[in-house]
Amino acid sequence: LKSLSTALHDRGMYLMVDVVVNHMAGTSDPPNFSSFQPFSSQSDFHAECFVSNYDNQTEVEQCWLGDKNVPLVDVNTEDADIVKTMNTWISTLVSNYNVDGVRIDTVKHVRKDFWPDFAKSAGVFTIGEVLHNETDYVSAYTR
């Protein structure tokens, strides 16, 4: 990836990566937590519940996406050690691969106050995907 990034820059192009902070994909329910890295303990994730009410922000942020066939296990981004790991990870990723921008998936599924430090740790342009049809709801993520 680093050589690709260098080649792109030499041609006046930029490299943007797509990242997911919210969850990890399980292959079974219950998932094999020990197969996930760097978070390999059940306590690194929110308790299992699948989002059923997208108007309930707590449920949106702390329940799982997916289903029992392919559970998207929700990372506990309220845990300070997990936050530190995520911020270090994005900083290292951007630095190691000379990344110019970061596109963040499923932003609304992580608490809003997580994102400013994550974006600052990236140190490059960041943009997040917030799938919702209400401007008032989406605009809160621009801060």
Side-chain angles (χ1 to χ4, degrees), residues 14 46 53 65 69 88 98 109 131:
Y14 297 95
H46 291 123
N53 180 358
L65 295 171
N69 294 317
T88 299
N98 201 21
H109 293 278
L131 182 60

Side-chain angles (χ1 to χ4, degrees), residues 29-95:
D29 186 35
N32 177 6
F33 292 98
S34 65
S35 70
F36 298 134
Q37 292 300 321
F39 311 119
S40 57
S41 172
Q42 187 171 357
S43 64
D44 294 331
F45 301 89
H46 291 123
E48 181 174 333
C49 62
F50 289 95
V51 178
S52 62
N53 180 358
Y54 283 87
D55 292 325
N56 180 323
Q57 191 62 31
T58 300
E59 189 174 319
V60 167
E61 292 175 7
Q62 296 186 7
C63 289
W64 299 8
L65 295 171
D67 56 33
K68 292 209 173 264
N69 294 317
V70 182
L72 300 180
V73 186
D74 202 74
V75 177
N76 182 2
T77 53
E78 289 78 26
D79 181 283
D81 289 334
I82 289 173
V83 171
K84 182 178 177 185
T85 298
M86 286 292 195
N87 289 344
T88 299
W89 167 75
I90 195 63
S91 175
T92 302
L93 178 76
V94 167
S95 176

